[in-house]
Amino acid sequence: MSTENRTKCVVLGVTGGIAVYKACEILRLLQKRGIDVFVVMTKNATRFVSPLTFETLSGHPVAVDTFERPATWEVEHIALAKRADLFLIAPATANIMAKLANGIADDMLSTTALATRAPVMIAPAMNTGMWDNPATQQNLRTLEARGVQIIAPATGHLACGDSGAGKLEAVETIAERAVQALERRQDMRGLRVMVTAGPTREALDPVRYLSNRSSGKMGYAIAQAARERGAQVTLLTGPVAIPAPQGVEIVPFTTTMELLECAKARADGQDVIIQAAAPADYRAREIAAQKIKKQGGAGLTLELVENPDVAATLGERKRSGQTFVGFAAETQDAIAHAEDKLVRKNLDLIVANDVTRPGAGFDVDTNIVTMITRSAQMQLPLLSKADVAERILDQILALREQRRGD
Ligand code: CTP
């Protein structure tokens, strides 16, 4: 039976807080989308709403305690953990976040959450002070970095009388995010992916630098798409003005030399490396200690030295089983130059674009690219960078599949 056609299953974890009653509504909204929902409650949650309510709504027994006699002869928490296509905790208290972040399994919900291999999504709801507490914020970052999808709380009037962040996000939004996550292919689960993005800056003096027009948008779109498809993503980023995608490890760099160091240190542990960054090919031979002054009408000559080629350096150390992808931003003969770079940098795939074409290249949300492998060329139409990202990831998976079959 195709896994795509069977009824999807959400395990809904409900933790104690005044917003528990809203979980009933989330359950109903998910059911309306044809999703089978199983509920796991913490003891505290049952003080707000009786398990009987969730049992009646879901049509399944509600799991509360690990020591209860299971309804079936399977070990119940493991059975639920396996059945889940998505593990959604809503509302999620500061306490469950702390437990998840630390791998604590001391009741039915935390035990099931630790055992599941399904994507985990949490919708926190708590008092503003608890949300703002550095401990909660650190737990949040830990969970995010591990790929837990966070539905951030809204700001508003809270049940405790305070106003601020901590209000459970609208139930419709939570249900929609859950549906989207279920519809997403998880075909990159288990893969470690490193993406480089953005420009470098090469200082000339304390106030000036050499850089380029890379916006980082293409690399960021790839990092986000890979994350959503289940990969564990590290994003090496130059200075850009766009928000970082959720759930990826961010490693900032400024110069090409810094990028090289960051990339070399992490390359070995990766399955896939996608280099969308635009590292400057040259840097100043010497960075002036003081601001360079006007030369009284005479011209100014800067002496530049060549930077190392990051992609070529990584390419020399490529292990079997790794898939390396580069970009070639060209202004003429894009395909011929790209083919040359594919071989020279020991890449498996290169994405070529002619940055002079309208709708392609820097600072726009679209791109027109040709994907080139050692054996094929695929010209894509004008697409959003998000769609280009998906096509590149599809191609990477196809290459890896093909190699496994060889
Ligand atoms: N690249 C790199 N290190 C550099 C320059 C480029 O790793 N110093 C990488 C880019 O991240 C990209 C690919 O190489 O994936 C092609 O970048 P591009 O600027 O098109 O290539 P160059 O080798 O710099 O070629 P040229 O400037 O001669 O076109």
Side-chain angles (χ1 to χ4, degrees):
M1 186 173 83
S2 152
T3 52
E4 292 310 310
N5 292 332
R6 72 172 172 79
T7 305
K8 289 276 166 58
C9 166
V10 168
V11 171
L12 176 61
V14 182
T15 63
I18 194 66
V20 167
Y21 72 97
K22 295 187 183 171
C24 302
E25 194 55 34
I26 296 170
L27 187 159
R28 301 290 288 169
L29 289 169
L30 293 175
Q31 282 177 331
K32 277 192 194 148
R33 307 289 291 263
I35 295 161
D36 201 9
V37 184
F38 287 78
V39 177
V40 185
M41 299 177 82
T42 61
K43 276 228 168 69
N44 283 343
T46 64
R47 293 168 189 256
F48 291 90
V49 175
S50 147
L52 187 63
T53 309
F54 285 103
E55 219 154 270
T56 312
L57 292 175
S58 70
H60 299 294
V62 168
V64 180
D65 202 299
T66 27
F67 300 108
E68 258 169 34
R69 202 175 127 91
T72 65
W73 287 107
E74 289 169 292
V75 180
E76 199 179 5
H77 67 274
I78 300 295
L80 270 180
K82 278 190 186 153
R83 185 176 289 149
D85 295 301
L86 175 71
F87 205 101
L88 169 66
I89 304 182
T93 54
N95 190 42
I96 191 72
M97 288 174 65
K99 286 193 202 177
L100 293 179
N102 290 287
I104 294 172
D106 64 353
D107 62 7
M108 185 69 185
L109 178 59
S110 52
T111 307
T112 316
L114 193 64
T116 194
R117 291 184 200 282
V120 178
M121 182 178 271
I122 64 169
M126 65 195 75
N127 163 271
T128 306
M130 293 171 85
W131 175 251
D132 288 339
N133 190 295
T136 306
Q137 290 300 311
Q138 186 167 344
N139 290 334
L140 178 72
R141 283 192 295 275
T142 303
L143 293 173
E144 248 182 348
R146 276 188 214 142
V148 171
Q149 301 173 60
I150 314 285
I151 305 177
T155 300
H157 191 68
L158 306 178
C160 54
D162 285 358
S163 272
K167 196 177 159 68
L168 186 74
E169 182 51 284
V171 289
E172 294 78 12
T173 309
I174 295 172
E176 195 49 47
R177 284 277 302 272
V179 170
Q180 279 171 8
L182 284 171
E183 284 170 356
R184 205 79 167 88
R185 283 166 297 170
Q186 289 290 304
D187 51 5
M188 299 194 83
R189 176 107 36 98
L191 289 180
R192 279 161 305 175
V193 176
M194 182 167 87
V195 182
T196 73
T200 60
R201 288 179 181 169
E202 305 292 344
L204 300 175
D205 68 15
V207 294
R208 303 184 181 96
Y209 54 77
L210 283 176
S211 191
N212 58 62
R213 292 179 52 199
S214 169
S215 64
K217 284 181 177 172
M218 194 62 245
Y220 273 49
I222 294 169
Q224 178 165 350
R227 170 65 236 138
E228 287 172 4
R229 287 167 74 159
Q232 190 180 327
V233 180
T234 303
L235 175 60
L236 274 47
T237 177
V240 297
I242 53 175
Q246 268 198 0
V248 311
E249 184 197 6
I250 303 281
V251 180
F253 61 81
T254 304
T255 65
T256 298
M257 293 299 260
E258 278 174 24
L259 168 60
L260 180 66
E261 290 316 308
C262 297
K264 273 195 336 202
R266 290 166 179 81
D268 249 12
Q270 307 297 327
D271 300 300
V272 176
I273 299 182
I274 305 167
Q275 302 188 67
D281 288 332
Y282 293 93
R283 67 179 185 278
R285 178 175 292 283
E286 285 193 28
I287 302 172
Q290 307 299 333
K291 187 178 170 207
I292 300 169
K293 291 294 182 189
K294 281 199 283 289
Q295 309 291 308
L300 172 68
T301 305
L302 292 169
E303 198 181 345
L304 303 178
V305 292
E306 198 172 308
N307 270 327
D309 190 301
V310 181
T313 310
L314 299 185
E316 281 167 18
R317 306 147 41 119
K318 184 162 71 169
R319 283 188 289 107
S320 74
Q322 288 186 310
T323 309
F324 284 10
V325 180
F327 277 75
E330 306 289 349
T331 54
Q332 56 183 0
D333 299 333
I335 304 299
H337 284 305
E339 280 178 333
D340 171 57
K341 288 174 192 175
L342 177 73
V343 176
R344 193 155 38 86
K345 305 191 188 203
N346 196 17
L347 300 167
D348 302 283
L349 170 67
I350 192 153
V351 184
N353 62 345
D354 179 342
V355 289
T356 61
R357 291 177 69 173
F362 306 112
D363 237 339
V364 289
D365 291 320
T366 53
N367 216 348
I368 310 165
V369 304
T370 304
M371 295 194 287
I372 305 168
T373 66
R374 302 285 173 132
S375 57
Q377 250 187 45
M378 289 139 284
Q379 161 87 60
L380 301 185
L382 176 73
L383 291 173
S384 70
K385 284 186 175 169
D387 286 338
V388 173
E390 301 289 350
R391 302 289 284 268
I392 293 169
L393 297 180
D394 289 344
Q395 186 56 41
I396 291 168
L397 292 181
L399 282 174
R400 293 178 66 81
E401 197 55 44
Q402 196 179 315
R403 193 162 54 200
R404 254 204 301 274
D406 282 349

